[in-house]
Amino acid sequence: MNIKIVEPCDYSILLPLAEQCCTELKRKTFDPVAFLSTWEMFQMSPFPSVVFGLYHEKEFVGGIGGVIVNDWLDGLSYAQEMFWYIQPEHRGGDHAKRLLMRLHQWAKEHGAVETRAGHPSFGSQERAFRAMYTRMGYTPLDTNYSLTL
């Protein structure tokens, strides 16, 4: 498996994976225009952003995207993981860790002092993510809640 930057002109290859991710997370809707518009907005902002793709031969099978932002409390730069997904049939091994470590490397190159990442808060995936983040040295930071309006 190879990891390489997905260029903004190729972001449409992210759409099938983003839709799969929404389905797996039991999200009610997926708006491909909103998804692409968000990444276009990141590209035009003063904050660096990146998407790394995971490729099995030439097939795009996963990716991670992040943006560098400044913490609102101390002004320090951090990388915020914005999405992360690997097709189920390509999970396992060290693919997830390799994607996250590539984001870490990029973040350091862009002046970030830490990386923040999230994960689903339900089911077996939650336990797997928590274990992986802990092994990699992450510490819990926040808990997010959602309320439908």
Side-chain angles (χ1 to χ4, degrees), residues 2 15 32 35 43 56 59 69 78-79 103 107 111 114 129-131 135 147:
N2 296 318
L15 293 175
F35 181 85
Q43 287 298 311
H56 176 71
E59 180 188 4
V69 295
Y78 67 91
L103 183 64
E114 72 179 37
F129 276 116
R130 188 179 313 228
R135 281 192 310 271
L147 173 66

Side-chain angles (χ1 to χ4, degrees), residues 30-142:
F30 172 68
D31 183 342
V33 173
F35 181 85
L36 290 177
S37 295
T38 299
W39 282 96
E40 289 170 3
M41 177 190 67
F42 287 146
Q43 287 298 311
M44 294 185 304
S45 82
F47 300 106
S49 62
V50 70
V51 175
F52 290 104
L54 179 67
Y55 295 85
H56 176 71
E57 298 173 1
K58 293 187 179 206
E59 180 188 4
F60 180 70
V61 299
I64 190 168
V67 61
I68 306 284
V69 295
N70 295 329
D71 187 285
W72 66 280
L73 293 172
D74 60 20
L76 296 175
S77 294
Y78 67 91
Q80 177 64 55
E81 169 261 321
M82 299 301 292
F83 80 89
W84 186 16
Y85 188 77
I86 298 174
Q87 291 175 336
E89 60 271 23
H90 295 284
R91 294 178 187 164
D94 66 347
H95 306 314
K97 181 180 176 182
R98 287 180 52 228
L99 276 171
L100 197 52
M101 293 195 60
R102 183 61 188 97
L103 183 64
H104 293 172
Q105 178 186 355
W106 174 85
K108 285 181 190 177
E109 292 167 1
H110 287 82
V113 296
E114 72 179 37
T115 300
R116 298 178 184 173
H119 63 79
S121 60
F122 57 86
S124 62
Q125 287 182 335
E126 178 183 12
R127 289 184 294 279
F129 276 116
R130 188 179 313 228
M132 184 191 71
Y133 285 131
T134 300
R135 281 192 310 271
M136 292 182 72
Y138 279 76
T139 57
L141 178 65
D142 294 319

